[in-house]
């Protein structure tokens, strides 16, 4: 649960690893790092999110590497962000003293985070201050794969590893990559790790750099607007989404990490450091409604750029809009909490997923409504997607859940084909664009009929996973009202909501995506409860007028966040632990979108009561 003023708590390990709940995220719009409650940085990829990791002790505590700054004998600690920023403060207590560590990926002086230009300096800055007593401070820098070290430019140059040359500077002398410093109250140590430069380095002034970084974040957050339930959590979710955003490209990484298992001990470990097109429509809804229309437009523009450049719709791209690398297993890494395998790249990138037609056209329609110009070349591609949707909605694919088993005719995929046809017809009519708008609307109507009639399972009293009414219960169907396919208060949607809640419920409002015994996905093992599905349940309850239930569930989901307000993709229902890639953009999109939807519904209910 988000705690802006946390108490000290004991440092702990699970299977030798820092729990996800005890990590904070920092970022600069080009990459991101995780900082443990113990002062270690076990995850950082440079120069970008999807580059080879410099530190990945997150995935192998012995061989992955880390950047640790912590006092010897550390017993307890606490973390908080400096207000609405990406600057993280960690305070660590020993038997003899207290140390405050302030971390950030540095931003340029005067950086405007609303602009789609780079703001990063290619620097990780760490400021150590002894608040009380005396400590012996450990500074350990261990890049994955090691490296040769030599004195250079007033610090250390590290050669080797995934980055050819790194530069480490300190206000205190460094004895190689492993240093010890005896400090007393009032002492300070400034550390800067930089990349991307050889002979040019900024002046060592960590305090000023931190101030400029914090000011840039605060300026950006002046655009935030939300007055509803769990307002502090929604604020933090906005910052977290920004930390997952590639500011120059406009894309959003699904998560800044790879291969965090869900569940621990399983093999469902995937690389999420890429941008899924389906995230865009949900993210745009969320961001635009809390004041960040610039980020929303940038993501929409990125989707359309990537689509035009690739000349075919892909479900995901690199953050630069290119093809995602082939999936590979890294046998040298043991995995988080010894949950192998570790994977780089993503094998689902070339799957057949028909919902992509609706995702791209929904983005295009939102783009045009926001004032974006649809050029003839772009429209030719978009209208081609509408035709593809009309031809393929009855055909099997791998679906939104990216199953690695034989494809089926998924209801959700057909529903997004309906979205594609509806949005294409809407754009053609509104903008006077050429195309078969009447036929597209007729086909969209036929898909809607098939969903509410053919996919209806009378015995199970639910719209089914498969378009022919067979298959199991599928939590993705809760998204149908969000995409405007079936109204939340439609009798069969109300019944589907009930069926999903009962048959996929994992307890306390948590939901599984589907039942593996009913819907085999070709991957061994089970998984945790998927947080976004529960936020979709909040939206359905809201749309059905069940506002008290919706707010109660929404509150309980927000309370599952870490003390820093971060959420992973999934929750282990048995332990309540966060599992899966962390933090997960989709989960924070859910925090924002459901909060906005609930707030607006409560306002309408209040106005109706006073009318």
């Amino acid at each position: 649960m988000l705690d802006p003023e946390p108490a000290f708590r004991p440092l702990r390990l699970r299977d030798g690893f820092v729990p996800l709940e005890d990590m904070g995220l920092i970022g600069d719009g080009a990459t991101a790092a995780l900082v443990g409650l113990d002062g270690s940085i076990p995850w950082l990829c440079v120069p970008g999110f999807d580059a080879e990791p410099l530190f990945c002790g997150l995935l192998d505590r012995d061989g992955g590497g880390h950047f640790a700054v912590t006092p010897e004998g550390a017993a307890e600690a606490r973390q908080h962000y400096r207000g609405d920023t990406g600057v993280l403060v960690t305070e660590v207590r020993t038997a003899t003293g207290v140390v405050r560590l302030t971390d950030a990926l540095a931003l340029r002086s005067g950086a405007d985070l609303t602009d789609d230009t780079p703001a990063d300096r290619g620097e990780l800055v760490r400021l150590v201050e002894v608040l009380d007593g005396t400590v012996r401070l450990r500074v350990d820098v261990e890049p994955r794969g090691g490296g040769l070290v030599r004195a250079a430019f007033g610090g250390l140059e590290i050669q080797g590893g995934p980055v050819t040359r790194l530069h480490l500077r300190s206000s205190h002398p460094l004895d190689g990559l492993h240093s010890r410093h005896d400090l007393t109250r009032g002492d300070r140590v400034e550390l800067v790790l930089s990349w991307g430069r050889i002979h040019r380095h900024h002046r060592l002034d960590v305090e000023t750099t931190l101030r400029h970084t914090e000011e840039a974040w605060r300026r950006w957050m002046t655009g935030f607007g939300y007055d509803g339930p769990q307002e502090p959590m929604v604020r933090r979710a906005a910052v977290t989404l920004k930390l997952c955003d590639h500011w120059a490209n406009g894309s959003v990484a699904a998560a800044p990490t790879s291969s965090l298992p869900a569940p621990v001990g399983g093999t469902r470990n995937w690389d999420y450091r890429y941008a899924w097109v389906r995230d865009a429509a949900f993210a745009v809804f969320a961001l635009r409604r809390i004041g960040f229309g610039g980020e929303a437009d940038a993501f929409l523009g990125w989707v359309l750029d990537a689509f035009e450049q690739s000349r075919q719709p892909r479900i995901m791209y690199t953050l630069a809009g290119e093809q995602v690398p082939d999936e590979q297993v890294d046998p040298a890494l043991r995995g988080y909490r010894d949950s192998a395998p570790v994977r780089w790249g993503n094998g689902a990138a070339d799957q057949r997923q028909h919902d992509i037609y609706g995702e791209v056209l929904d983005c295009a329609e939102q783009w045009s409504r926001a004032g974006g110009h649809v050029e003839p070349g772009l429209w030719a591609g978009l209208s081609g997607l509408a035709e593809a949707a009309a031809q393929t909605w009855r055909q099997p694919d791998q679906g939104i859940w990216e199953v690695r088993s034989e494809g089926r005719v998924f209801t959700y995929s057909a529903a997004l084909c309906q979205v594609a046809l509806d949005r294409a017809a809407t754009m053609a009519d509104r903008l006077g664009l050429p195309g078969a708008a009447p036929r597209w609307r007729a086909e969209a109507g036929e898909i809607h009929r098939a969903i509410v009639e053919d996919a209806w399972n009378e015995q199970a009293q639910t719209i089914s996973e498969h378009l022919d009414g067979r298959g199991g219960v599928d939590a993705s169907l809760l998204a149908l009202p969000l995409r405007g396919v079936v109204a939340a208060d439609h009798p069969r949607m109300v019944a589907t909501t009930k069926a999903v809640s009962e048959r996929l419920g994992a307890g306390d409002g948590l939901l599984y995506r589907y039942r593996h015994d009913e819907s085999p996905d070709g991957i061994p093992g089970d998984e945790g409860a998927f947080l976004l599905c529960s936020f979709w349940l909040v939206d359905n309850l809201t749309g059905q007028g069940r506002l008290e239930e919706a707010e109660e569930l929404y509150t309980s989901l927000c309370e599952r966040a870490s003390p820093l307000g971060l959420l992973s993709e999934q929750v282990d229902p048995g332990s309540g632990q966060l599992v899966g890639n962390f933090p997960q953009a989709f989960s924070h999109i859910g925090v924002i979108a459901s909060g906005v939807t609930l707030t607006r519904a409560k306002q309408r209910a209040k106005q109706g009561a006073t009318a």
Side-chain angles (χ1 to χ4, degrees):
M1 180 177 177
L2 175 62
D3 187 352
E5 298 181 359
F8 281 94
R9 61 185 188 274
L11 292 172
R12 55 182 179 165
L13 298 175
R14 292 188 185 130
D15 303 320
F17 289 78
V18 176
L20 299 185
E21 297 90 339
D22 290 350
M23 292 189 193
L25 182 72
I26 57 175
D28 60 7
T31 190
L34 290 178
V35 183
L37 190 62
D38 61 353
S40 68
I41 293 182
W43 182 260
L44 172 63
C45 300
V46 297
F49 286 98
D50 51 5
E52 187 176 347
L54 174 63
F55 305 121
C56 61
L58 181 70
L59 300 178
D60 191 316
R61 63 181 180 273
D62 299 320
H66 63 265
F67 184 177
V69 177
T70 191
E72 292 184 354
E76 55 183 12
R78 61 185 178 185
Q79 282 182 315
H80 68 274
Y81 285 103
R82 282 189 179 175
D84 295 329
T85 77
V87 177
L88 182 66
V89 177
T90 305
E91 295 181 359
V92 185
R93 179 182 286 165
T94 73
T96 61
V98 180
V99 163
R100 179 167 63 206
L101 174 63
T102 305
D103 286 308
L105 283 165
L107 303 181
R108 292 182 291 101
S109 173
D112 180 359
L113 306 195
T114 65
D115 197 3
D116 56 352
T117 57
D120 63 291
R121 291 165 47 120
E123 290 181 345
L124 167 65
V125 296
R126 315 197 75 181
L127 173 63
V128 181
E129 302 168 277
V130 181
L131 301 182
D132 192 28
T134 60
V135 298
R136 167 164 277 201
L137 187 74
R138 294 191 300 108
V139 178
D140 297 316
V141 183
E142 298 182 6
R144 187 190 181 191
L148 299 176
V149 181
R150 71 179 183 92
F153 308 108
L156 300 177
E157 183 180 88
I158 308 165
Q159 298 185 17
V163 178
T164 305
R165 294 171 103 171
L166 297 166
H167 192 243
L168 178 65
R169 291 175 293 158
S170 173
S171 58
H172 283 53
L174 296 172
D175 302 323
L177 298 183
H178 303 278
S179 297
R180 302 294 180 267
H181 305 277
D182 292 315
L183 306 172
T184 189
R185 180 174 180 172
D187 286 347
R188 299 154 61 94
V189 178
E190 298 183 356
L191 294 158
V192 176
L193 180 68
S194 57
W195 50 90
R197 298 184 183 88
I198 297 177
H199 299 287
R200 297 176 299 108
H201 298 284
H202 297 111
R203 184 167 60 92
L204 183 64
D205 186 354
V206 168
E207 189 168 5
T208 298
T209 300
L210 286 170
R211 186 177 71 253
H212 290 160
T213 299
E214 185 174 346
E215 288 171 350
W217 279 106
R218 293 188 185 279
R219 283 194 299 272
W220 178 73
M221 276 298 287
T222 59
F224 177 85
Y226 173 82
D227 184 18
Q230 300 294 313
E231 191 264 357
M233 183 64 190
V234 174
R235 296 182 78 90
R236 178 45 51 183
V239 175
T240 302
L241 270 184
K242 188 67 172 176
L243 287 168
C244 294
D245 182 3
H246 192 289
W247 300 348
N249 293 339
S251 52
V252 177
T257 56
S258 175
S259 301
L260 292 179
V264 172
T267 61
R268 296 170 180 266
N269 313 335
W270 316 113
D271 191 348
Y272 275 14
R273 299 172 301 149
Y274 308 109
W276 269 252
V277 173
R278 75 168 56 94
D279 291 8
F282 290 110
V284 166
F285 173 90
L287 290 169
R288 198 181 296 286
R289 283 157 181 78
I290 57 171
F292 297 119
E295 283 72 13
D297 290 342
F299 201 177
L300 291 174
W302 174 86
V303 168
L304 298 180
D305 285 346
F307 165 60
E308 279 203 281
Q309 291 166 12
S310 65
R311 304 194 178 200
Q312 61 177 322
R314 298 183 183 276
I315 64 168
M316 70 180 86
Y317 297 86
T318 68
L319 301 182
E322 299 171 350
Q323 185 170 351
V324 171
D326 292 339
E327 188 171 285
Q328 297 182 347
V329 170
D330 191 337
L333 297 173
R334 296 164 56 184
Y336 178 72
R337 296 177 62 181
D338 296 325
S339 299
V342 170
R343 294 183 173 97
W344 310 119
N346 198 297
D350 293 321
Q351 282 187 349
R352 188 178 188 185
Q353 296 182 24
H354 296 155
D355 69 308
I356 188 63
Y357 306 131
E359 306 295 359
V360 174
L361 274 157
D362 193 26
C363 287
E365 202 273 331
Q366 292 191 59
W367 165 262
S368 69
R369 283 191 181 277
H373 183 61
V374 180
E375 299 284 349
L378 174 58
W379 177 244
L382 294 173
S383 59
L385 293 186
E387 293 296 340
Q391 295 168 12
T392 60
W393 64 271
R394 295 182 180 88
Q395 298 176 13
D397 71 341
Q398 264 44 60
I400 183 177
W401 302 134
E402 300 176 355
V403 301
R404 300 199 175 191
S405 57
E406 185 177 354
R408 282 101 79 184
V409 184
F410 288 102
T411 301
Y412 181 85
S413 296
L416 267 290
C417 287
Q418 191 269 354
V419 169
L421 292 159
D422 174 79
R423 304 306 189 267
T426 298
M427 292 174 67
D429 290 344
R430 182 167 52 82
L431 302 176
L433 297 169
R439 177 166 55 81
W440 292 339
R441 286 201 184 280
E443 195 72 11
E446 173 58 20
I447 298 175
H448 179 273
R449 184 209 61 77
I451 291 170
V452 297
E453 295 181 13
D454 298 347
W456 176 254
N457 186 317
E458 182 65 26
Q459 182 177 359
Q461 286 292 292
T462 182
I463 298 173
S464 185
E465 172 189 36
H466 299 159
L467 198 57
D468 62 2
R470 301 177 184 178
V473 180
D474 180 0
S476 72
L477 301 176
L478 295 178
L480 298 187
L482 282 62
R483 313 311 294 269
V485 178
V486 181
D489 58 356
H490 187 289
R492 291 194 168 175
M493 197 64 231
V494 173
T496 298
T497 303
K498 182 174 184 291
V500 169
S501 300
E502 293 177 350
R503 298 191 60 191
L504 298 182
D508 297 322
L510 297 176
L511 294 175
Y512 295 111
R513 296 184 296 173
Y514 46 86
R515 292 170 57 100
H516 291 258
D517 56 341
E518 293 181 346
S519 307
D521 57 15
I523 309 167
D526 295 322
E527 61 182 2
F530 205 79
L531 278 167
L532 183 63
C533 294
S534 291
F535 284 111
W536 288 344
L537 178 57
V538 171
D539 297 335
N540 277 264
L541 295 174
T542 301
Q544 294 162 18
R546 300 156 66 181
L547 300 187
E548 290 186 10
E549 292 176 70
E551 185 164 3
E552 182 179 354
L553 175 57
Y554 180 68
T555 299
S556 73
L557 295 173
C558 290
E559 289 176 347
R560 292 187 178 276
S562 74
L564 289 172
L566 303 179
L567 289 165
S568 58
E569 178 185 51
Q570 300 180 30
V571 171
D572 183 321
S575 65
Q577 296 173 11
L578 300 176
V579 294
N581 281 308
F582 175 88
Q584 173 81 359
F586 236 169
S587 297
H588 295 86
I589 290 170
V591 170
I592 298 170
S594 293
V596 168
T597 300
L598 184 58
T599 299
R600 292 185 172 187
K602 291 176 65 176
Q603 291 172 345
R604 289 193 298 269
K606 184 177 180 180
Q607 292 169 357
T610 58

